């Protein structure tokens, strides 16, 4: 069984979806720990409620980004983490950290990557007059929000939408489905990063998988 560590900073809705998928028998992992860089992250309670070790590594106590990342990497090694899942982890990671876990680390981003790397994605999609929006799971590589995409879900933007309604639909209809699916693929050894490309069941993904590719358990 693969050992999973989930890194969070906030509410932990994606974390909760992973916990539920694991409980339902759809995600063959053992949660080694949930680590937050903020002591007040609500997601820590989801971990505690599920009996998962909930740890806080407060970034403010480190002199700089590299020192924090060094400590985090050391902890992930101690935990013998096979898969690292960034679930609303609001930290930019150093190249050294990313290289150590490259191929074993996934992130979810609330936009149709490569559009809108970084913050404020919902407002930016509206400001650009986009007709569609969504969310993407991708491998983490040194450039922020730019690693090879694994699965992406999209929906139509409606005239009455605002940033809050887009955030809500992206979370509910897309994120909470595609992340457990992507982590399940990885846990089963069906998803890997090879020569800079996401490979799913032996096939190099020129385009990310879509909602149509979700297995029934994740729909
Ligand atoms: C999600 O929208 C995720 O895509 C982004 O941060 C948010 C985290 O939400 N990276 P939660 O902590 O999973 O509730």
């Amino acid at each position: 069984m693969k050992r999973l560590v989930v890194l969070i900073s906030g509410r932990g809705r994606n974390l909760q979806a992973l916990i539920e998928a694991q409980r339902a028998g759809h995600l063959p992992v053992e949660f080694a720990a949930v680590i937050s860089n903020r002591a007040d992250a609500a997601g820590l309670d989801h971990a505690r409620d599920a009996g998962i070790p909930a740890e806080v590594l407060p970034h403010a106590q480190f002199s700089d980004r590299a020192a924090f990342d060094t400590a985090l990497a050391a902890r992930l090694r101690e935990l013998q983490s096979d898969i690292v899942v960034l679930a609303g982890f609001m930290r930019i990671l150093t190249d050294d950290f990313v290289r150590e876990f490259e191929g074993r680390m996934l992130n979810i981003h609330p936009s149709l990557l490569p559009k809108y790397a970084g913050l404020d994605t919902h407002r930016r999609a509206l400001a650009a007059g986009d007709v569609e929006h969504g969310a993407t799971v991708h491998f983490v590589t040194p450039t922020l929000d730019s690693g090879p995409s694994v699965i992406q879900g999209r929906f139509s933007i409606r005239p009455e939408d605002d940033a809050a309604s887009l955030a809500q639909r992206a979370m509910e209809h897309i994120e909470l489905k595609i992340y457990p699916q992507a982590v399940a693929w990885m846990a089963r050894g069906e998803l890997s990063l090879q020569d800079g490309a996401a490979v799913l069941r032996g096939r190099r993904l020129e385009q990310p998988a879509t909602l149509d590719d979700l297995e029934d358990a994740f729909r």
Side-chain angles (χ1 to χ4, degrees):
M1 194 83 85
K2 294 270 169 63
R3 287 172 63 78
L4 183 72
V5 175
V6 183
L7 305 185
I8 64 167
S9 301
R11 286 175 65 177
R13 288 160 293 179
N14 281 292
L15 165 65
Q16 183 61 25
L18 295 169
I19 291 171
E20 285 167 16
Q22 192 255 8
R23 278 204 187 131
H26 303 313
L27 190 58
V29 297
E30 178 188 340
F31 286 93
V34 169
I35 303 177
S36 173
N37 63 309
R38 301 178 53 107
D40 60 355
L44 288 168
D45 290 329
H46 297 320
R48 293 187 192 109
D49 290 348
I52 300 167
E55 304 183 4
V56 179
L57 192 66
H59 64 270
Q61 287 179 11
F62 292 85
S63 54
D64 58 17
R65 192 175 293 287
F68 174 81
D69 282 11
T70 299
L72 181 58
R75 186 68 191 124
L76 292 172
R77 262 178 250 131
E78 278 168 10
L79 288 164
Q80 299 182 298
S81 163
D82 299 304
I83 301 175
V84 180
V85 166
L86 310 184
F89 186 59
M90 303 303 283
R91 297 276 311 165
I92 291 175
L93 296 163
T94 54
D95 288 6
D96 283 349
F97 181 92
V98 172
R99 271 192 221 103
E100 175 165 354
F101 297 98
E102 204 164 331
R104 298 188 278 147
M105 182 157 60
L106 295 172
N107 183 41
I108 190 158
H109 186 74
S111 79
L112 294 172
L113 289 174
K115 282 187 162 178
Y116 316 129
L119 297 175
D120 222 5
T121 56
H122 311 298
R123 193 193 53 77
R124 288 158 71 197
L126 287 173
D130 290 359
V131 296
E132 285 190 313
H133 190 50
T136 309
V137 177
H138 65 94
F139 279 101
V140 180
T141 57
T143 308
L144 181 71
D145 298 330
S146 298
S149 292
V150 173
I151 182 167
Q152 183 168 74
R154 55 182 67 227
F155 59 86
S156 299
I157 295 182
R158 303 171 187 150
E160 66 272 24
D161 271 321
D162 57 15
S165 67
L166 290 187
Q168 196 268 336
R169 283 220 298 300
M171 176 60 67
E172 194 173 321
H173 298 311
I174 313 289
E175 297 191 43
L176 300 183
K177 298 178 179 187
I178 64 176
Y179 218 3
Q181 173 71 81
V183 177
W185 283 331
M186 196 173 227
R188 293 185 211 135
E190 295 175 0
L191 173 67
S192 60
L193 182 68
Q194 290 173 34
D195 302 326
V199 175
L200 181 60
R201 299 197 193 103
R203 193 170 58 88
R204 191 186 157 101
L205 295 177
E206 305 298 343
Q207 300 292 331
T210 70
L211 295 179
D212 292 336
D213 298 304
L214 288 175
E215 296 163 6
D216 285 345
F218 298 101
R219 281 172 188 271

